[in-house]
Amino acid sequence: MAASAGPAAPRTKTKRKRFVPQRVKVPRAADPLLGVLGWGVQHQINELSQVPLPVMLLPDDFKANSKIKVNNHLFNRRNLPSHFKFKEYCPQVFRNLRERFGIDDQDYQVSLTRSPPHYEGEGSDRRFLTSYDRTLVIKEISSEDVADVHSLLSHYHQYVVKCHGVTLLPQFLGMYRLSVDSEETYMLVMRNVFSHRLAVHRKYDLKGSLVSREASDKEKGKELPTLKDVDFLHMSQKVYVDEGQKGDFMEKLKRDVEFLVQLKIMDYSLLLGIHDVLRAEQEEDEDLREEEEEGEDVVAVGSYGTSPEGIGGYLNSYKPLGPGEFDPYVDVYAIKSAEGGPQPEVYFMGLIDILTQYDAKKKAAHAAKTVKHGAGAEISTVHPEQYAKRFLDFVTNIFA
């Protein structure tokens, strides 16, 4: 993660992560997979930039892929394995989606390749990575998930066109297959629901079901646990936004959920992150005091003075943001708390996990849970229409 300002910088260990731009062709990644991801994305974006934008996408674009096999990369053996393959699925479709979501390809490339992405949290699920500037999330998925994305992609693209990219659905930005040592890894890149610069102090994964929807004691012991529906109710948590913002949010959510019902999709969640503005100010003051005592100079991503490149950097580089402030073009899922709320907060709310269709597996699970909990019980495996109604009812009530 740490990057030096140039080749002459001394190799000193510091407690703080320093996000300073460096000119590298391939990021130095301890994990060969991350080296291959960086190389592949860089290569693909460069290749795409040579291809004119199609006037319109054709059915074949939704089946297309671009593959490259690399043998013995002598110039970069320290950073890359000697043999690997990289495949991008539906390059023109994802290029079009990035454009519709307001993400420039060069910024996308920089965010993914300037420094290797990092796995989220200590000892956590190693299937989630965050780009070094925290604007993108990379999820390791299964080959079945790849097939699910393919079957969804045409409908998803049409929907994104129809709503002009204004949606709470995950923003799918790229899908890749990496082959290293005869092992295949599939990766899906999405925009981060949370902010690249405002820390999240509490987070919830909400499905609208109360059966088995409480965080485990092990999860609660983490620094930032993912809490669930039962925890939300027990903690009397509420989201304080004004009526206009609540109306806009619920309108988007209902439209998105209707789209998911049409595709018989269920088991999705609302991911809710809460940034406590006063706590963040206190933490920043403490950090500054520590840095002054230790004599460190720290440059934070997306704040004044960083390189004007990458998804999070280019606007903030000339417009420093104050406490609790965000750039709505970058933090697209963010909503500020209402003036009259108990304390100033920023909420990040987006839909996640939209790849589960109501198939035979779900039907079997539903039958088993109905036997166990009774026909009227709040269980998570129900029909897509029931799931949507219960989900919307729950989310409507999270607001104060």
Side-chain angles (χ1 to χ4, degrees):
M1 277 295 299
S4 64
R11 290 189 173 186
T12 54
K13 286 188 178 178
T14 59
K15 288 180 188 173
R16 303 271 303 181
K17 288 178 178 138
R18 298 169 57 118
F19 299 97
V20 180
Q22 61 173 357
R23 293 179 65 190
V24 288
K25 284 197 172 174
V26 176
R28 285 192 183 158
D31 185 334
L33 265 186
L34 301 187
V36 171
L37 177 68
W39 187 94
V41 168
Q42 187 127 325
H43 173 82
Q44 288 301 109
I45 295 289
N46 289 344
E47 290 284 300
L48 266 181
S49 67
Q50 311 299 316
V51 182
L53 278 168
V55 177
M56 62 183 287
L57 292 174
L58 300 170
D60 280 355
D61 289 319
F62 290 86
K63 299 171 196 161
N65 64 68
S66 171
K67 290 188 280 196
I68 183 163
K69 184 176 180 180
V70 178
N71 287 322
N72 205 18
H73 240 300
L74 282 173
F75 75 92
N76 225 328
R77 286 291 292 276
R78 273 194 312 163
N79 304 331
L80 290 166
S82 51
H83 304 278
F84 63 87
K85 289 190 277 189
F86 186 86
K87 177 177 183 176
E88 179 178 16
Y89 296 98
C90 313
Q92 291 292 4
V93 177
F94 285 108
R95 177 193 204 177
N96 189 276
L97 285 169
R98 289 191 292 271
E99 188 184 2
R100 291 181 185 279
F101 289 132
I103 292 175
D104 178 80
D105 270 7
Q106 296 306 312
D107 288 327
Y108 174 78
Q109 185 186 54
V110 167
S111 289
L112 278 177
T113 65
R114 171 160 282 161
S115 198
H118 56 275
Y119 287 99
E120 275 297 286
E122 278 182 56
S124 67
D125 189 343
R126 280 180 64 82
R127 290 179 306 144
F128 280 94
L129 295 118
T130 305
S131 63
Y132 89 100
D133 63 357
R134 299 192 292 279
T135 58
L136 301 172
V137 171
I138 303 110
K139 184 180 181 183
E140 285 189 29
I141 58 175
S142 66
S143 56
E144 289 81 11
D145 290 332
V146 172
D148 288 342
V149 172
H150 271 113
S151 66
L152 170 78
L153 199 55
S154 173
H155 305 286
Y156 174 84
H157 181 267
Q158 281 172 17
Y159 182 75
V160 170
V161 171
K162 194 171 136 192
C163 69
H164 307 287
V166 179
T167 174
L168 299 168
L169 292 174
Q171 294 191 3
F172 296 148
L173 306 173
M175 187 163 70
Y176 310 102
R177 186 189 73 192
L178 289 60
S179 306
V180 178
D181 296 331
S182 307
E183 264 190 47
E184 293 183 340
T185 304
Y186 303 90
M187 291 186 167
L188 181 62
V189 180
M190 298 169 275
R191 192 195 283 268
N192 194 353
V193 171
F194 295 158
S195 174
H196 68 295
R197 64 177 291 275
L198 300 179
V200 165
H201 298 109
R202 259 162 300 147
K203 66 172 173 172
Y204 296 90
D205 176 306
L206 303 172
K207 288 184 187 290
S209 168
L210 301 180
V211 170
S212 307
R213 293 295 298 159
E214 185 174 0
S216 64
D217 290 339
K218 184 186 174 188
E219 182 66 31
K220 287 176 181 171
K222 292 181 182 175
E223 192 179 343
L224 182 63
T226 301
L227 301 171
K228 297 183 180 177
D229 307 63
V230 172
D231 308 302
F232 188 89
L233 297 177
H234 280 171
M235 294 168 81
S236 304
Q237 180 74 61
K238 285 289 177 188
V239 171
Y240 298 87
V241 295
D242 64 41
E243 282 303 311
Q245 287 177 315
K246 178 187 171 183
D248 288 347
F249 175 84
M250 287 309 300
E251 190 184 319
K252 270 192 280 189
L253 187 67
K254 283 173 184 166
R255 192 179 62 203
D256 291 344
V257 166
E258 206 173 292
F259 165 73
L260 296 175
V261 168
Q262 284 168 7
L263 293 181
K264 295 191 164 37
I265 287 172
M266 48 185 295
D267 241 18
Y268 43 86
S269 303
L270 181 76
L271 181 63
L272 162 66
I274 301 172
H275 170 78
D276 180 332
V277 178
L278 300 179
R279 180 175 157 187
E281 282 190 273
Q282 277 179 329
E283 286 170 355
E284 200 173 322
D285 288 345
E286 284 167 20
D287 285 350
L288 281 171
R289 273 200 301 276
E290 273 179 37
E291 283 152 26
E292 281 165 13
E293 284 165 19
E294 292 175 19
E296 285 181 22
D297 58 323
V298 174
V299 181
V301 167
S303 68
Y304 186 73
T306 55
S307 166
E309 289 181 341
I311 294 165
Y314 67 103
L315 280 167
N316 299 335
S317 58
Y318 61 82
K319 192 182 94 177
L321 296 168
E325 288 183 356
F326 56 85
D327 185 332
Y329 292 102
V330 180
D331 290 330
V332 298
Y333 296 97
I335 304 178
K336 243 184 185 150
S337 63
E339 291 294 327
Q343 60 190 47
E345 293 177 322
V346 180
Y347 307 106
F348 302 96
M349 295 186 281
L351 288 164
I352 58 166
D353 299 335
I354 66 161
L355 296 181
T356 305
Q357 283 193 296
Y358 189 73
D359 56 14
K361 222 168 20 178
K362 277 283 162 194
K363 287 174 186 169
H366 174 68
K369 284 192 178 181
T370 304
V371 169
K372 186 177 176 185
H373 299 288
E378 288 284 314
I379 56 178
S380 64
T381 42
V382 292
H383 294 279
E385 293 82 359
Q386 286 171 287
Y387 189 92
K389 184 185 182 309
R390 191 183 65 194
F391 177 77
L392 288 171
D393 287 348
F394 188 92
V395 175
T396 304
N397 289 313
I398 70 174
F399 297 96

